[in-house]
Amino acid sequence: MDTFLGIDYPTWWFLVVGGLFSGYAILDGFDFGAGAWHLFFKKELDRRVALNAVGPVWDGNEVWLVIGGGALFAGFPLMYATFFSSLYIPFMLFLVFIIFRAIAIEFRGKEHMKWWKTLWDTCYSISSIMLAFLLGVVLGNVLQGIQIGENYLYQGDGLLEFLNPYAIMTGLTTLSLFMAHGAIYLLLKTEGKMFEQLTKLLKKGMIFFMVCFGITTLYTLIYIPHLSDDFKSNPSLFVVPLMVFLSIANLPRLASKKRYKLAFFFSSLTIALSLVLVAIELYPNLLMSSIDDKYHIDIYNAASSTKSMQIMLTIVAIGTPLVLGYTLFVYRTFRGKVTLDETSY
C-alpha cells in the first residue's frame, strides 16, 4: 500500500477526520455547554450577556462539523453510509435540534414580550442540552458496537435501540463535560454578579462531570472489555488515559485559583485527549459489528482510492491554514468581556 512519510493514506485520513471532529467538539462543546446553563440565569440582562458571549462564534464553530462530515464521506464512503443508516434516529434528532437552536438564537431578540423571550430561551437551552447528549449517545453506540451484518448492512430493528444504558451514560458524560467547558468559557466573558454565579455553577458542573466520567469508565472496564485490548497489548498507550485523568484533575485546582484561561485550555485538552483515547480504542476500525468481527468496517475496507486520498490530503494542506486563520481571527476580534449594545440578541 502507498504511504506518505511512512504512514498509509487511510491512516492519514483517519487522523484528518479525527482532528476535524476534535476541533468541532472543543468549539461547539463550549457553546452547547453555555446554552445548557442558560435557564439558570434568571435576569434578562444575564441571558443577553450569555447569548452575546457565543453569538459571534456559534455558527462559525459549526463549520468544523460540516467539514468533518464531508471528510468522512469523501474518505470513507462505506463507513459514512452504514454509520448514518445505523444511527438514523439520533442523527435526525440532532439535525432538528441544531436547526431549532439556531432559530431560537435568531428569534428571541425580534420581539420584546416576556413570554416570547422565555419561549425561545427555553428552546435554546433544551436544544443545547439535547445536542450535547446526542453526540455522546452516538459515540457510546460506536464504542460498544452496532448490529452490522452481511454486506455491512444494519441489522437492528428497534427505533429506540440507540438509547441503551452505555450510550445514555456516554451522553450524560459528554453533556456534563460540555457544561463545565461552557461555564469556564462564560467566566472568561462575564463579570460582576453573573461571574460570581458562574463560579458556583462551574463547581456543580465539575462534580456532575466527574461522577458521570467515573461511572462511564467503570462501566467500560467491566462490560466492554474489548475496548482495553490495545492498551493491554501495548502498555505504553496507558500514558493517554493517564493524561486524561491528570487533565481532569487539574480543572478544579485551576478554578479554585481563578485561572480560567488556563482552565479553558485544560477543558479543551480533556476533550481532545478523550477523543484520542476513543481513536486508539477503535483503530484501525471505524465501526465495530456487535454481530461478528468479520463485519467490522475499518479504514482499509471503507477507504476511497489512494489517488482520491492523495488529492484530498493536498486540499487539506491548503484549506486547514485558511480555516484555522479564520477561526483565530474571529476569536481575536471578539475577545474580552461581553458588553451590550443595540445590536445585541
Side-chain angles (χ1 to χ4, degrees):
M1 179 168 286
D2 292 335
T3 63
F4 177 65
L5 298 176
I7 300 174
D8 59 66
Y9 283 97
T11 299
W12 272 115
W13 204 248
F14 180 79
L15 295 173
V16 167
V17 172
L20 288 169
F21 282 120
S22 297
Y24 172 70
I26 291 169
L27 295 177
D28 237 5
F30 74 72
D31 71 55
F32 288 164
W37 290 116
H38 194 67
L39 295 180
F40 285 79
F41 309 125
K42 301 303 179 187
K43 296 180 180 177
E44 164 63 14
L45 180 65
D46 291 347
R47 290 185 179 185
R48 289 183 66 197
V49 169
L51 271 171
N52 275 33
V54 300
V57 297
W58 68 270
D59 47 356
N61 293 342
E62 288 169 5
V63 169
W64 289 75
L65 176 63
V66 175
I67 298 174
L72 191 64
F73 172 73
F76 305 114
L78 172 63
M79 186 272 183
Y80 185 90
T82 304
F83 187 41
F84 282 86
S85 58
S86 303
L87 297 168
Y88 184 80
I89 300 297
F91 278 123
M92 285 300 104
L93 288 172
F94 187 86
L95 285 177
V96 168
F97 283 116
I98 207 165
I99 292 170
F100 214 42
R101 182 172 181 268
I103 292 172
I105 292 173
E106 296 294 338
F107 276 26
R108 71 141 356 236
K110 302 300 182 186
E111 298 289 347
H112 298 289
M113 296 87 78
K114 186 178 179 182
W115 67 266
W116 175 269
K117 291 182 183 295
T118 302
L119 170 67
W120 293 115
D121 283 341
T122 305
C123 292
Y124 168 65
S125 191
I126 290 174
S127 298
S128 299
I129 291 169
M130 289 305 300
L131 287 166
F133 176 71
L134 286 168
L135 283 177
V137 165
V138 169
L139 182 63
N141 278 284
V142 170
L143 284 171
Q144 70 175 353
I146 296 172
Q147 293 190 57
I148 302 171
E150 197 172 353
N151 295 323
Y152 306 112
L153 295 176
Y154 176 58
Q155 302 294 321
D157 55 4
L159 284 176
L160 298 179
E161 202 171 54
F162 69 94
L163 280 179
N164 50 75
Y166 184 66
I168 291 172
M169 273 315 305
T170 312
L172 290 174
T173 303
T174 305
L175 171 62
S176 59
L177 175 56
F178 285 180
M179 288 179 76
H181 192 41
I184 296 170
Y185 177 77
L186 288 177
L187 280 163
L188 295 173
K189 307 295 286 184
T190 58
E191 50 196 351
K193 290 184 178 178
M194 188 178 180
F195 181 90
E196 297 302 323
Q197 183 186 3
L198 277 164
T199 59
K200 297 173 184 174
L201 291 178
L202 175 59
K203 289 178 184 175
K204 293 177 182 177
M206 287 192 296
I207 292 170
F208 179 34
F209 168 58
M210 288 180 184
V211 170
C212 290
F213 181 79
I215 294 172
T216 304
T217 301
L218 283 175
Y219 193 113
T220 305
L221 293 173
I222 295 171
Y223 295 106
I224 315 180
H226 67 265
L227 291 178
S228 57
D229 287 349
D230 286 339
F231 295 96
K232 291 173 184 172
S233 60
N234 188 356
S236 63
L237 292 175
F238 274 106
V239 70
V240 179
L242 177 63
M243 289 173 68
V244 174
F245 281 109
L246 290 176
S247 182
I248 292 171
N250 215 14
L251 290 176
R253 186 183 71 82
L254 293 168
S256 67
K257 294 183 177 180
K258 299 187 183 300
R259 300 179 66 182
Y260 296 117
K261 284 185 180 178
L262 204 52
F264 187 75
F265 170 78
F266 273 95
S267 62
S268 302
L269 186 65
T270 299
I271 294 172
L273 288 173
S274 299
L275 290 175
V276 170
L277 202 57
V278 169
I280 292 172
E281 289 166 342
L282 288 177
Y283 183 82
N285 295 309
L286 294 168
L287 281 181
M288 291 184 289
S289 169
S290 58
I291 295 175
D292 195 307
D293 290 357
K294 66 183 179 182
Y295 300 129
H296 284 353
I297 296 177
D298 60 40
I299 61 171
Y300 300 108
N301 63 22
S304 299
S305 68
T306 300
K307 188 66 178 177
S308 297
M309 290 201 165
Q310 288 172 337
I311 294 171
M312 291 187 297
L313 281 174
T314 304
I315 295 171
V316 167
I318 297 170
T320 301
L322 296 175
V323 175
L324 285 174
Y326 161 77
T327 304
L328 290 173
F329 172 77
V330 170
Y331 280 86
R332 180 172 173 75
T333 301
F334 294 98
R335 67 187 182 279
K337 303 289 184 182
V338 172
T339 54
L340 295 179
D341 55 36
E342 67 277 5
T343 61
S344 301
Y345 286 100

